[in-house]
Amino acid sequence: MRKLLTKRRLIERWPLKPIPGRVRQAKYRNRKTLYRGVLYDSAAEAARAAQLDLLVKAGKIHYWQRGTSQVILDDGHGHKVRYKPDFMVCDKPFHRHAEDVKGFVPQGFRIKAILWGLRFPNIPLRVIDKDGVEIRVLKEATK
């Protein structure tokens, strides 16, 4: 078994292991979780990564990767609005979608979802709950 050194102590590397010793409580009470050597922002996000790994092994999806920060709005004067989906999933050849794992959909997320739809109309953004069920498909913004 491999071990990983954190700031406070040595912890064992097991799937979905919460990181102990957090000093301050997170805004949405999420706990950073370690899965396969990667630190995820919440246990639900790490569980979704485990589900995606199983879907790849079962042949339901081709691949997945962690999301990267994208500019969804640029005013031209140096001010940019960025959004980082949790995952990018390729379920068919040349067809991919972005996934975001949420316990609930906060009000500020809706505007970012609309901006995502305007900026990337060919990459739909799907909101997944902690059980892996799609709770909302944020399609292209209204015309």
Side-chain angles (χ1 to χ4, degrees):
M1 178 183 316
R2 298 172 79 187
K3 298 193 179 217
L4 184 69
L5 185 64
T6 64
K7 288 181 184 178
R8 296 189 181 258
R9 64 176 119 155
L10 195 65
I11 61 169
E12 297 181 19
R13 186 180 128 184
W14 280 111
L16 307 179
K17 178 117 178 138
I19 301 298
R22 295 213 41 198
V23 175
R24 144 183 114 83
Q25 190 172 15
K27 184 176 182 179
Y28 296 110
R29 297 182 186 201
N30 58 325
R31 295 181 68 186
K32 292 201 180 275
T33 305
L34 191 67
Y35 171 68
R36 299 183 92 188
V38 179
L39 188 62
Y40 290 91
D41 291 333
S42 67
E45 193 175 324
R48 183 61 182 164
Q51 289 174 349
L52 290 172
D53 281 340
L54 290 174
L55 289 172
V56 169
K57 287 181 183 177
K60 301 284 185 185
I61 62 174
H62 286 273
Y63 67 90
W64 68 272
Q65 62 188 24
R66 297 280 310 260
T68 58
S69 180
Q70 302 290 331
V71 176
I72 55 175
L73 184 64
D74 187 358
D75 69 352
H77 299 288
H79 300 113
K80 296 177 182 177
V81 176
R82 295 184 168 272
Y83 176 68
K84 179 185 167 205
D86 294 331
F87 305 103
M88 294 297 287
V89 179
C90 180
D91 49 0
K92 296 182 231 176
F94 306 109
H95 184 266
R96 61 186 176 149
H97 65 271
E99 286 188 1
D100 206 338
V101 179
K102 299 274 187 210
F104 69 98
V105 181
Q107 187 174 7
F109 175 75
R110 296 172 200 272
I111 188 69
K112 288 190 175 186
I114 291 170
L115 291 172
W116 177 274
L118 292 171
R119 178 77 168 100
F120 303 105
N122 296 330
I123 305 174
L125 178 62
R126 297 181 183 168
V127 179
I128 308 294
D129 72 356
K130 61 183 177 181
D131 298 322
V133 179
E134 187 173 339
I135 56 175
R136 175 170 303 210
V137 177
L138 300 169
K139 296 184 180 177
E140 189 176 346
T142 57
K143 296 177 183 177

